Amino acid sequence: FFSTFFELAVLQGCSRLLLEPRRVEMEQAWGQLLDTWPYSEQALFSVGTTMCTVVAFWGLNIVLWACYHFGWFDRYKIQDATWPPRELVVDGVVKNILGLLMQPFAFYYLLWGTMDQGVGSHWFSRSLPPWLTYVVQVAVYFLISDFCFYWMHRACHIPVLYKHIHKKHHLYKASIGLAANYAHPFEEIVVNFGSVAIPFYLWKPAHITVFWAWLLFRYWESVDGHCGYNFPWSPWIYIRGPCDFHDWHHSHNIGCFGIFPWSWDRVLGTDGHYREHMAKNKKKSKSR
């Protein structure tokens, strides 16, 4: 116990020493933005939210497009030479542009009212929360989002809902980054937007920047999970697990409904086929 306590104390001390100067710099930059921002807080919320979605989704997808187009890192590709049809990719680009243009309005009309009434003046406070607040709130948001996404996604595989709604997302049997947000409008609003917004409703963020951090990390994880590669340097391999998990869901359309392989799929056994498949592949690679 004392050893663990000592290690945590050392870790906290190191984080303060190394990260606190960065937080102070960010706080100064945030204060300057508030001083020079000529419009309302509502406008800042909308613009900031838009920037988060654009940077996280399109920034990552532009990098992934270069990898796909030039064949970089093909050794990490999960489905070898399998790619989605060109027409589907073009449709994905168009639909994602239209969807991301609409998202800031959805965030504004569905979330701003609750923030304005429930959070209070500290929402746009000049003082930023400590790093631990960002880490804890974003981590808890992921756990809540995983629970919501698992059950809503699993419900989408009920035959009638799959046929009329979720089948569109599964047109990407070989998943790429664009597939993360390629969905029927109903699924986009209820499942994708819902799994991002519900954690917010259950536990209001300590600051607007915590909400933006949550958006950045959630979009990053989603694009990474759909990218079709197992990049060994991706931090999500150590947090979520390899991308094989969700890629299997696209290629085989069986189980693997949640965000995290170690979570609800493992508890409820909906990852059985995936684990059997991975065990067989492991056995084959050992016998070579």
Side-chain angles (χ1 to χ4, degrees):
F1 170 80
F2 290 108
S3 174
T4 305
F5 181 79
F6 176 74
E7 289 170 1
L8 288 173
V10 170
L11 183 62
Q12 185 178 11
C14 291
S15 67
R16 282 185 178 179
L17 184 65
L18 297 173
L19 297 178
E20 187 60 20
R22 306 288 82 77
R23 192 188 71 83
V24 172
E25 290 173 4
M26 288 175 62
E27 196 170 86
Q28 291 171 348
W30 171 248
Q32 289 174 358
L33 175 63
L34 291 179
D35 289 337
T36 56
W37 182 255
Y39 307 108
S40 65
E41 289 180 350
Q42 291 96 323
L44 180 56
F45 167 75
S46 298
V47 171
T49 302
T50 303
M51 292 300 296
C52 287
T53 55
V54 169
V55 169
F57 185 84
W58 287 107
L60 290 170
N61 270 296
I62 288 170
V63 174
L64 286 170
W65 172 84
C67 294
Y68 302 147
H69 184 74
F70 296 108
W72 301 339
F73 312 116
D74 276 357
R75 62 187 179 279
Y76 300 125
K77 194 170 186 309
I78 298 170
Q79 293 192 45
D80 298 325
T82 307
W83 294 98
R86 180 182 177 83
E87 299 77 22
L88 184 59
V89 174
V90 172
D91 190 51
V93 171
V94 174
K95 296 287 172 59
N96 273 295
I97 289 173
L98 293 174
L100 285 175
L101 287 174
M102 295 302 296
Q103 273 189 0
F105 296 100
F107 278 116
Y108 176 82
Y109 284 108
L110 295 176
L111 297 184
W112 174 255
T114 62
M115 285 188 280
D116 196 29
Q117 297 162 20
V119 176
S121 61
H122 69 275
W123 182 252
F124 282 92
S125 169
R126 298 178 72 89
S127 300
L128 296 181
W131 289 112
L132 187 61
T133 301
Y134 290 91
V135 173
V136 170
Q137 284 211 281
V138 171
V140 172
Y141 284 175
F142 263 110
L143 294 176
I144 298 171
S145 182
D146 180 46
F147 175 81
C148 298
F149 184 78
Y150 175 87
W151 287 106
M152 290 189 289
H153 183 195
R154 187 171 177 177
C156 283
H157 281 262
I158 296 170
V160 65
L161 292 179
Y162 182 84
K163 180 180 178 182
H164 296 288
I165 295 171
H166 192 52
K167 188 176 181 180
K168 179 175 181 178
H169 183 66
H170 275 272
L171 293 175
Y172 280 91
K173 298 191 183 303
S175 184
I176 60 174
L178 282 172
N181 263 17
Y182 186 78
H184 186 281
F186 179 85
E187 181 179 355
E188 183 63 28
I189 294 169
V190 175
V191 181
N192 296 343
F193 178 81
S195 63
V196 170
I198 288 172
F200 168 88
Y201 283 119
L202 295 179
W203 186 18
K204 294 294 193 298
H207 196 270
I208 181 67
T209 55
V210 176
F211 175 67
W212 288 340
W214 160 236
L215 283 183
L216 285 168
F217 279 100
R218 183 65 186 93
Y219 272 91
W220 176 17
E221 184 284 322
S222 185
V223 173
D224 181 89
H226 285 86
C227 74
Y229 288 90
N230 269 329
F231 293 124
W233 54 80
S234 171
W236 293 108
I237 285 183
Y238 307 101
I239 302 169
R240 177 203 58 218
C243 294
D244 302 79
F245 181 74
H246 196 70
D247 199 86
W248 160 271
H249 180 78
H250 274 264
S251 60
H252 291 76
N253 207 358
I254 303 171
C256 301
F257 300 114
I259 298 171
F260 302 116
W262 42 263
S263 185
W264 295 102
D265 283 286
R266 181 63 55 87
V267 171
L268 299 173
T270 46
D271 64 344
H273 293 285
Y274 163 74
R275 283 193 286 152
E276 286 175 16
H277 172 78
M278 296 304 290
K280 285 178 184 176
N281 282 355
K282 197 174 181 181
K283 211 177 260 187
K284 283 179 185 177
S285 61
K286 278 185 178 179
S287 62
R288 286 173 186 172

